[in-house]
Amino acid sequence: MTAPTAIPHPSFVNAPRIHQALTAGIEKRLLVWMARRTPAVIGPDHLTALGFAAQLLAGVSYALAGRHPWALWLVNLFIFLNWLGDSLDGTLARVRHRQRPRYGFYVDHMADTFGALALMSGLAASGYLHWPMAAAMLAGYYILSIESYLTTYTLGDFHLSHGPFGPTEIRILLLAGNVALFVNPYARLAGRTFLLFDAGAAAAIAGMAAMAVAAALRHAALLYRKERLP
């Protein structure tokens, strides 16, 4: 018997997902493989809850790592579990034909919003990253998220990545950064010593700013052409 699929609202059109990040192809194949082997007792909502809880616990572990550096390994564990829950939930729903596109889109991205706040708050509390840098990174993430949501509404395309970077690439960079942080929390640049994550955050902030401005200009120009006045 075919599992029932939620009936969308008559006026709702599910936006096509556009994912062009470096790992998108192999990640999609892996997630479909995993979804087909996930026990029936586990549903998409369970995975969403796992991903959200793991991101909150990653933030707590970052805060703990300020006094106990071994907690950085806990951060990496929870980042992996966040990837598992956050990435597999939608794939599982599609494989089982139990999609709820409006509910899934809303809940997933609200969870990401609060999860990012917890993660950056924990990192700022750890002392491995100065809080103004953490705040700027969080602002950059929110700006890119808002741009993506507005693009979904106005153009009908849901971009999961900006250029070659998507959520998975960010997680991979964090995992590698945490290993480097455990070895040495400082970096020397131009003869000066900086917190390693401050240096990484500066690069990330510049990159996010460039991606946000480029996307905003590109999509504004596209919308202008689509709605050119006579």
Side-chain angles (χ1 to χ4, degrees):
M1 180 177 178
T2 302
T5 300
I7 300 174
H9 190 277
S11 63
F12 178 77
V13 177
N14 194 16
R17 295 159 53 89
I18 299 175
H19 197 8
Q20 299 173 326
L22 293 172
T23 61
I26 189 171
E27 182 181 31
K28 181 179 180 180
R29 292 192 293 273
L30 175 62
L31 290 171
V32 170
W33 183 88
M34 293 171 66
R36 289 172 175 164
R37 290 160 177 79
T38 300
V41 69
I42 298 175
D45 284 348
H46 299 123
L47 292 169
T48 301
L50 170 66
F52 180 55
Q55 195 165 17
L56 296 181
L57 290 171
V60 172
S61 299
Y62 263 135
L64 181 64
R67 292 192 176 185
H68 306 285
W70 56 263
L72 290 169
W73 299 106
L74 283 180
V75 176
N76 278 4
L77 170 63
F78 290 128
I79 288 174
F80 170 76
L81 292 176
N82 170 255
W83 168 82
L84 180 66
D86 188 46
S87 301
L88 188 58
D89 55 0
T91 303
L92 186 65
R94 287 186 288 276
V95 166
R96 292 181 178 175
H97 304 290
R98 296 185 62 84
Q99 296 153 273
R100 291 183 287 176
R102 291 180 296 159
Y103 168 80
F105 186 91
Y106 181 83
V107 171
D108 274 5
H109 292 99
M110 287 308 299
D112 289 343
T113 297
F114 288 113
L117 175 62
L119 192 69
M120 287 297 103
S121 297
L123 192 48
S126 72
Y128 287 124
L129 178 69
H130 285 107
W131 73 262
M133 302 297 285
M137 284 188 67
L138 186 63
Y141 170 78
Y142 283 159
I143 289 169
L144 284 174
S145 297
I146 291 168
E147 198 285 325
S148 178
Y149 305 153
L150 290 174
T151 300
T152 304
Y153 177 77
T154 57
L155 291 172
D157 294 327
F158 176 36
H159 291 260
L160 281 82
S161 59
H162 288 269
F165 289 97
T168 298
E169 283 70 24
I170 293 171
R171 292 186 183 101
I172 291 171
L173 288 174
L174 269 178
L175 292 173
N178 290 334
V179 173
L181 198 63
F182 184 79
V183 174
N184 184 5
Y186 297 99
R188 286 190 62 82
L189 298 172
R192 298 180 61 186
T193 300
F194 299 89
L195 286 175
L196 177 64
F197 267 30
D198 273 356
I205 292 164
M208 287 189 289
M211 287 188 285
V213 170
L217 292 174
R218 183 173 64 254
H219 292 146
L222 178 58
L223 287 165
Y224 179 84
R225 292 193 298 271
K226 284 179 175 290
E227 296 187 336
R228 189 185 300 272
L229 294 174

